[in-house]
Amino acid sequence: MSEKYTCEQCGEHTYEQFSQTQVRCMHCGNVSEFDTGYRVTPQFESIAEEKVLPVEHKPDYTAASFGKRITNYIIDVIVVTILLNITGYYLQLEIITPKGELTETGILVMLIIIPVYYLLMEYSLGKTMGKIITKTKVISTDGSKPSFLQCMVRALTRLLPMEQFSGLFFNGIFWHDSIPKTLVVDDF
């Protein structure tokens, strides 16, 4: 285009382009129509609304507080203890000595009950009894329901020595959260 832009108000030639035909004078700010010859390249052109994919809105999750996590742990320890005693009673096993200590059989039964309890509850419901009471749930880090493998790794990781203290050193993220890539969040 051979024609040069000249502002109608101040006569300056510098401009800022808004659209294909609308410009603003850089000196006085006057907005006027002037076809600079600029054309939008096809990849930046507007497209029809029906060709746009719908936006997927993902919910915003809030990590469960450390207090809720501790409450979950205490409730679940009580539930596991009850399950341990019920199992011992029905299988007629000596689980606890008269002094209140776990027997070797009790330890073996507990090493089975703990992962089975957590696996079944978290895979089927996304929650344990503690999480039901505190209104929290387990999710995968991508926000989806945790897979069977993630729930199994969560359950088995709980048997690691010092695991229940790992959250104290990692901002409330326990090994049974970080290793299987899961989170415990508030469930509203």
Side-chain angles (χ1 to χ4, degrees):
M1 176 168 269
S2 61
E3 189 179 341
K4 186 175 179 181
Y5 170 76
T6 305
C7 179
E8 299 166 354
Q9 283 189 352
C10 68
E12 285 292 319
H13 299 287
T14 58
Y15 63 89
E16 174 182 36
Q17 189 162 353
F18 288 130
S19 69
Q20 187 172 327
T21 59
Q22 196 173 37
V23 294
R24 178 173 62 187
C25 176
M26 296 296 286
H27 182 260
C28 70
N30 179 43
V31 176
S32 59
E33 296 290 319
F34 177 73
D35 189 354
T36 63
Y38 172 78
R39 300 293 181 258
V40 176
T41 57
Q43 71 232 36
F44 296 112
E45 285 181 349
S46 297
I47 58 175
E49 180 103 13
E50 62 271 1
K51 292 182 182 178
V52 178
L53 294 174
V55 176
E56 182 181 333
H57 295 283
K58 292 192 175 185
D60 217 5
Y61 295 108
T62 304
S65 69
F66 193 72
K68 284 185 179 182
R69 300 295 304 272
I70 296 299
T71 305
N72 291 345
Y73 176 73
I74 292 168
I75 293 168
D76 290 333
V77 165
I78 293 168
V79 171
V80 167
T81 303
I82 292 169
L83 290 173
L84 182 66
N85 286 316
I86 290 170
T87 303
Y89 176 79
Y90 280 109
L91 297 179
Q92 297 180 354
L93 301 172
E94 186 180 349
I95 301 289
I96 300 174
T97 66
K99 293 181 182 180
E101 300 168 344
L102 276 176
T103 63
E104 288 180 13
T105 305
I107 292 170
L108 288 174
V109 172
M110 184 180 66
L111 290 175
I112 294 169
I113 287 178
I114 289 173
V116 169
Y117 166 72
Y118 282 102
L119 175 64
L120 292 176
M121 293 294 289
E122 290 181 342
Y123 182 65
S124 62
L125 302 175
K127 306 173 178 209
T128 59
M129 290 306 293
K131 290 176 187 69
I132 290 169
I133 292 169
T134 62
K135 293 185 171 69
T136 56
K137 66 180 178 178
V138 177
I139 61 169
S140 186
T141 53
D142 66 2
S144 65
K145 179 183 186 271
S147 68
F148 181 81
L149 181 62
Q150 285 177 305
C151 291
M152 187 169 65
V153 171
R154 273 181 70 84
L156 294 174
T157 307
R158 291 175 188 276
L159 299 177
L160 292 174
M162 305 299 289
E163 194 284 327
Q164 56 270 54
F165 301 109
S166 63
L168 298 173
F169 305 107
F170 300 104
N171 296 329
I173 304 295
F174 293 84
W175 293 336
H176 67 267
D177 299 320
S178 62
I179 293 172
K181 295 180 177 37
T182 58
L183 299 169
V184 176
V185 296
D186 289 328
D187 186 22
F188 299 103

